[in-house]
Amino acid sequence: MDKQFATPKSMKKVILRVIRTTLLQFGSATKVELSKQLGISFPTVSKVVAQMERDGEVYVVGLDDSSGGRRAKRYAFNPEHMLGLAVFLEENETVYAVFNCVGEVKEQGTRPSVFQDGLPLLIELVQDILLEFPKISSMAIGVPGAVDNGRIFHIPNYKSFHDFELKTYFEDLFSIPIVVENDMNAAVLGFQKRSGREDQQSLVYLYSGKNGPGAGILINGDVVRGSTFFTGEISFMPLYDNQNFHQAMYQGRKNTETRTIGEKHEIHAISRLIASLVAIINPHTVIFSKEEMDQIALNQIAIESTKYVPKAHLPELIVSDWKRDYLHGLQRLALDRMVTGIRLVDVLE
């Protein structure tokens, strides 16, 4: 923050954020440790922590050994002080999870798809959850479409959500911070943290599901969104014989149900896609959903891909639990907003 324009109120918010983040990352700390770790004066830290304790945001977990003077109190963040909500929308279901500040799930459930009746059903669902869990302080919503800063601008199968400012609408309606994210972007973020692969610089998550092919791409720890937030719409990638990837994969059939990939034309199409990814971004790992890919198909794709690029440059091909990764990614985004923009990359296990 530019100190020239910082106000006492804004500085207090910044201090509150970094204290929250430090306590969540390290589990506990004394006021002296917080002061040294954050480079903030002891009186300022003491004042903010005292207010947090009065608000129930932190509590004393013990006293440190004495070094000759009064024993220092050790503080921890109250994980139940704030809750988050993650919701993702699919053609046949709406899945949600309520979790606390350290990512522990308090309730998870599945409801009928809100796409059947449009926005009113989603509003009703969120209202019901907020009434049951009034401590919810942030929410992340995942959608099977392209998103530009909370506006859904490409979601062909669901016209009532097309070109809709969902983030702004819900923030005005519920008065809590909202994140709206593309499903595959959330999934690749969730996989990265859940699998402990933060050291890997590039990941690509591929999934078809019921809404057609999509990809989440992560490079150097950041999701690649593109100049118009259209990155990952791999259905449009041209392959051969005047066909794009979607046409080559589905051969005229509808992508209305998840099924195991294994047909020869599917293996060929995915192998060409893998080769294109290698030539453009050379990813470390490509992840598929275990619902639609098995080891036999992965082996076939690896062999077929070497027809186009040398084997030495192929990424690791693996399967993962897409729904779990998706929810985990939304959780991560909601936690970031819950602590007012600070990235809590070390909170979730």
Side-chain angles (χ1 to χ4, degrees):
M1 175 178 292
D2 191 332
K3 293 183 180 180
Q4 182 180 356
F5 299 104
T7 64
K9 185 176 181 180
S10 64
M11 287 304 298
K12 183 178 179 180
K13 287 182 178 180
V14 171
I15 293 168
L16 181 59
R17 294 172 195 170
V18 294
I19 289 177
R20 283 174 175 170
T21 307
T22 302
L23 289 175
L24 284 166
Q25 288 179 343
F26 293 99
S28 68
T30 65
K31 293 175 183 177
V32 171
E33 289 172 343
L34 288 169
S35 177
K36 291 180 178 179
Q37 176 74 23
L38 302 174
I40 301 171
S41 72
F42 179 82
T44 299
V45 168
S46 183
K47 183 178 180 180
V48 174
V49 170
Q51 184 61 53
M52 294 173 75
E53 186 176 13
R54 287 193 294 271
D55 293 340
E57 193 167 354
V58 300
Y59 59 94
V60 177
V61 292
L63 299 174
D64 277 15
D65 293 335
S66 174
S67 58
R70 190 164 52 181
R71 297 170 68 188
K73 293 179 180 179
R74 179 162 292 275
Y75 294 88
F77 195 87
N78 177 7
E80 307 302 324
H81 180 68
M82 295 185 289
L83 301 178
L85 171 63
V87 182
F88 76 69
L89 317 182
E90 279 287 290
E91 181 186 62
N92 65 329
E93 63 181 358
T94 300
V95 179
Y96 71 91
V98 178
F99 47 89
N100 66 15
C101 294
V102 293
E104 296 170 343
V105 175
K106 314 299 292 183
E107 180 174 301
Q108 183 171 327
T110 302
R111 298 282 183 89
S113 174
V114 300
F115 287 135
Q116 305 300 323
D117 294 323
L119 191 61
L121 198 58
L122 177 58
I123 293 172
E124 182 182 341
L125 170 63
V126 173
Q127 285 175 332
D128 289 345
I129 297 172
L130 291 178
L131 283 173
E132 185 177 355
F133 298 94
K135 288 188 177 182
I136 289 175
S137 303
S138 66
M139 176 168 53
I141 304 172
V143 298
V147 180
D148 177 356
N149 294 310
R151 178 177 66 89
I152 305 169
F153 69 90
H154 178 73
I155 187 165
N157 297 332
Y158 313 109
K159 292 183 179 179
S160 62
F161 286 84
H162 178 70
D163 201 23
F164 182 62
E165 294 274 3
L166 184 58
K167 170 184 164 63
T168 301
Y169 186 87
F170 266 38
E171 285 186 337
D172 291 342
L173 188 62
F174 297 114
S175 299
I176 59 174
I178 307 290
V179 181
V180 180
E181 184 59 279
N182 165 265
D183 53 359
M184 297 312 302
N185 289 344
V188 75
L189 280 170
F191 172 84
Q192 181 207 35
K193 183 59 190 177
R194 195 172 69 82
S195 64
R197 295 184 181 228
E198 288 90 344
D199 58 326
Q200 290 203 347
Q201 295 182 341
S202 57
L203 302 170
V204 178
Y205 209 129
L206 300 176
Y207 181 64
S208 294
K210 304 180 187 304
N211 296 291
I217 302 172
L218 190 146
I219 297 178
N220 295 331
D222 295 317
V223 171
V224 179
R225 302 181 187 280
S227 62
T228 61
F229 297 86
F230 203 63
T231 298
E233 297 297 334
I234 56 173
S235 287
F236 297 96
M237 181 175 286
L239 287 187
Y240 52 85
D241 297 336
N242 296 319
Q243 289 185 318
N244 60 29
F245 182 72
H246 186 280
Q247 293 164 337
M249 277 289 291
Y250 293 101
Q251 300 283 304
R253 71 176 177 83
K254 294 183 178 180
N255 48 287
T256 56
E257 60 182 57
T258 303
R259 51 183 290 277
T260 302
I261 291 170
E263 298 290 336
K264 185 178 292 186
H265 69 272
E266 295 171 330
I267 301 299
H268 288 174
I270 294 173
S271 300
R272 286 173 169 84
L273 178 63
I274 296 294
S276 298
L277 291 170
V278 170
I280 297 170
I281 62 173
N282 195 197
H284 290 84
T285 305
V286 175
I287 309 108
F288 297 87
S289 167
K290 67 179 184 179
E291 291 183 325
E292 56 187 26
M293 187 71 70
D294 57 27
Q295 193 58 50
I296 294 174
L298 282 184
N299 293 340
Q300 292 173 336
I301 290 168
I303 293 170
E304 184 72 15
S305 297
T306 59
K307 293 180 180 180
Y308 309 104
V309 293
K311 183 178 180 180
H313 303 299
L314 287 181
E316 178 187 15
L317 305 179
I318 63 173
V319 297
S320 186
D321 186 329
W322 180 78
K323 183 180 289 188
R324 187 176 176 186
D325 292 334
Y326 190 0
L327 271 177
H328 201 83
L330 292 175
Q331 245 183 278
R332 185 174 167 185
L333 291 167
L335 282 169
D336 287 350
R337 292 306 308 274
M338 189 188 297
V339 191
T340 324
I342 297 296
R343 290 175 58 82
L344 298 184
V345 295
D346 296 317
V347 172
L348 294 177
E349 295 184 315

